[in-house]
Amino acid sequence: QVQLVESGGGLVQPGGSLRLSCAASSGIFVFYAMGWYRQAPGKQRELAARIISGGSTNYADSVKGRFTISRDNAKNTVYLQMNSLKPEDTAVYYCNAERRIAGTPYNYWGQGTQVTVSS
């Protein structure tokens, strides 16, 4: 069973920065994609950023130009650098890993880390 452990959340003022980390219990090279999803109170979980095994990335329109997703295969870790944070970025951020076996996707989730943007 794959375990994903997030860290790096916290309270930050508007305009500030945070870097989230997601450490996997297995080599991340086995995953088709890894990503960060977020869920604000009363809202559905949504994709913030994702990185595919080949290195391509995609971002939600609301975070483009402010968030950067990256990975370090040697450390089995995926990062989300968040700059110019806004109050609307406040949410629980979840790390996701997707593995595909014979074309069937298997998703793994971390426990989530709270990000609060407030003055």
Side-chain angles (χ1 to χ4, degrees):
Q1 182 70 12
V2 175
Q3 290 186 329
L4 303 173
V5 179
E6 301 106 331
S7 61
L11 173 65
V12 63
Q13 291 187 342
S17 298
L18 282 175
R19 188 176 81 155
L20 305 182
S21 299
C22 172
S25 60
S26 67
I28 62 175
F29 59 87
V30 302
F31 298 118
Y32 168 75
M34 295 192 73
W36 289 94
Y37 289 72
R38 63 186 185 180
Q39 188 168 18
K43 294 187 177 181
Q44 289 188 335
R45 190 175 297 189
E46 64 176 6
L47 174 69
R50 192 168 81 140
I51 185 165
I52 311 299
S53 58
S56 62
T57 57
N58 54 287
Y59 297 90
D61 288 343
S62 58
V63 309
K64 281 181 181 177
R66 300 188 298 121
F67 291 10
T68 303
I69 188 169
S70 63
R71 66 185 182 202
D72 185 333
N73 288 349
K75 296 183 178 180
N76 296 330
T77 300
V78 173
Y79 303 98
L80 185 67
Q81 178 66 43
M82 305 185 294
N83 298 327
S84 302
L85 283 162
K86 304 175 181 180
E88 50 264 44
D89 294 318
T90 296
V92 178
Y93 284 70
Y94 297 91
C95 180
N96 167 268
E98 177 186 337
R99 185 172 183 178
R100 294 188 177 181
I101 301 175
T104 300
Y106 296 85
N107 281 286
Y108 305 92
W109 295 92
Q111 81 286 354
T113 185
Q114 177 71 46
V115 171
T116 302
V117 185
S118 175
S119 55

